[in-house]
Structure formats: C-alpha cells, structure tokens
Amino acid sequence: MSTENTRTLRDLHDQIRTAALDLAEPARRPLLRDDGTTTIHPADALLTQLAAEITPGGDHNGTGRGATGVPVALDVLDLQRRITAESAAWCWNLTGQAPPEALAERVRTIARAAGQLIEVEQAARIARSLADWVTSIRTVLAPPRKMALAEPCPACGARVHYHRDDAGEVVRRHPLEVDGHRGCTCLTCGTHWPVDQLEHLALVIGCTPVGA
C-alpha cells in the first residue's frame, strides 16, 4: 500500500472512531454560561437522544406515539428505522454474523471491524454512513434555521414554488431553500447543493436571503 493510501486509511479510521463515539458513547461537553464561565456537563450519546425522542419515559408502542401518548415526529421514526436497516447491513457485510440488537452495539461492532479494513473505498463508505447518521440525528434533534433565496433556481429556472401547508392551503414561496447543515435544495426540481458548494452557488446566483 502506498504512503498516501496509508495516510488516507488512517484518517478514515479516525473519522469512523470519532463518529462512533458521538453515536454510541456518552460524553462530557462544555457549556458557556452567561457570566462567561465554562462548566462541563454530561451528554447522552446521539443514539440515546434519538431514542428518547421516540420513547419519552418508556418503550415505544408502535402507534406513532411515545409511551406517554405524545405524538412522535415521523422524521425521527424514519431516521431510526433507516439507521437500524443500514447498521444491520454493515454488520452483516463486515462480520458475516447477525447484528446485535442494540443500535449502539451495532455501531461499536462496525467501528471495530472497520478498524481492520485495508481497502480505502470500503472504509470511506463506512465513514460516510456514520457521518451521515451523526448529521441526520443532530438535524432532527435541533433543526437548523432555514432560509429561502429570492433568486431563481440555476438548474431549472423556477422562480416560484407552490405547496400545501398543514391546513391544506396552497402557499407560494421561493423554490431555493438553504440551511447550514445540508446545504441548498430546489423544492421544484430537487437539485441539491451541499454545504461546501454554497459559496459557489451564491456567486452564481448573486443570492439575497429572505425569511422562509
């Protein structure tokens, strides 16, 4: 293996370990107080926080409501189901054995097995998967503020997008929607620009943010 591939593989292993720690292990995080002092507080693992959104105070009963009868957001349920399916597939792929029941243990299994990989592309796919789970969980737990851009979509040319709100009324809005976690998406044609392309997109369209 070349020196460059060795360095790339080492970086990927580090990324996988970091994502696995965020997903599966509790942490101690600094909190900046109003008086300027910093204190350290325990924080649950991201998978634990995600499960708490589905099962506040108890087990989820499969009805779309938590144990307390509080409705559960569908995006939270969908995300947990996606991570459950994808983590099972990775466990089977990497170990040839049935995946552990607990999601956190699946992540640990994936991280341990990935640490033995010598194929850069496979390690890169695992790193992308775990990083996507981290980003997706953080997004559903604390959705970023979204903005609409007044300029037309450079891909399809749409200037206006129509959709129905929660009351069923047809609402008119600008088609380009941007947030700091996922980037910019055209609601009309579906073209997506990730965060690292936002600066280029701004130059192309000369964007002006307006309230979403």
Side-chain angles (χ1 to χ4, degrees):
M1 182 182 293
S2 69
T3 301
E4 181 178 354
N5 279 354
T6 300
R7 186 181 304 111
T8 299
L9 192 60
R10 185 166 57 245
D11 290 343
L12 289 169
H13 287 164
D14 288 343
Q15 292 173 32
I16 291 168
R17 282 192 293 269
T18 298
L21 286 173
D22 286 340
L23 289 163
E25 309 301 338
R28 295 177 64 80
R29 306 192 188 281
L31 176 66
L32 180 64
R33 295 189 166 278
D34 293 339
D35 61 4
T37 60
T38 300
T39 55
I40 303 299
H41 296 266
D44 287 335
L46 289 177
L47 286 171
T48 302
Q49 294 180 51
L50 184 69
E53 291 293 307
I54 298 173
T55 59
D59 294 330
H60 178 59
N61 55 23
T63 64
R65 292 175 176 266
T68 59
V70 178
V72 176
L74 290 179
D75 56 349
V76 175
L77 282 172
D78 287 344
L79 177 57
Q80 190 186 58
R81 288 166 180 160
R82 177 166 70 84
I83 293 175
T84 298
E86 292 177 2
S87 61
W90 275 123
C91 285
W92 276 111
N93 181 279
L94 291 167
T95 70
Q97 299 178 359
E101 192 68 26
L103 286 181
E105 191 55 42
R106 291 186 188 185
V107 168
R108 297 184 189 107
T109 299
I110 293 168
R112 284 194 299 267
Q116 306 302 315
L117 292 176
I118 59 173
E119 296 180 7
V120 170
E121 182 51 42
Q122 188 175 24
R125 290 199 302 272
I126 295 171
R128 286 194 296 269
S129 286
L130 268 62
D132 173 66
W133 299 346
V134 169
T135 300
S136 297
I137 292 174
R138 286 176 173 161
T139 298
V140 300
L141 293 177
R145 179 175 179 267
K146 295 181 179 180
M147 294 186 299
L149 304 181
E151 286 67 24
C153 172
C156 69
R159 291 179 174 274
V160 178
H161 177 74
Y162 295 93
H163 72 102
R164 292 189 180 277
D165 61 15
D166 294 340
E169 299 292 330
V170 175
V171 177
R172 169 178 169 159
R173 59 164 299 159
H174 298 288
L176 293 180
E177 183 175 82
V178 62
D179 71 57
H181 285 189
R182 295 193 173 276
C184 181
T185 301
C186 176
L187 301 176
T188 299
C189 70
T191 301
H192 178 73
W193 295 266
V195 172
D196 60 3
Q197 295 181 15
L198 289 182
E199 185 174 351
H200 174 71
L201 176 64
L203 291 174
V204 170
I205 66 177
C207 67
T208 303
V210 296

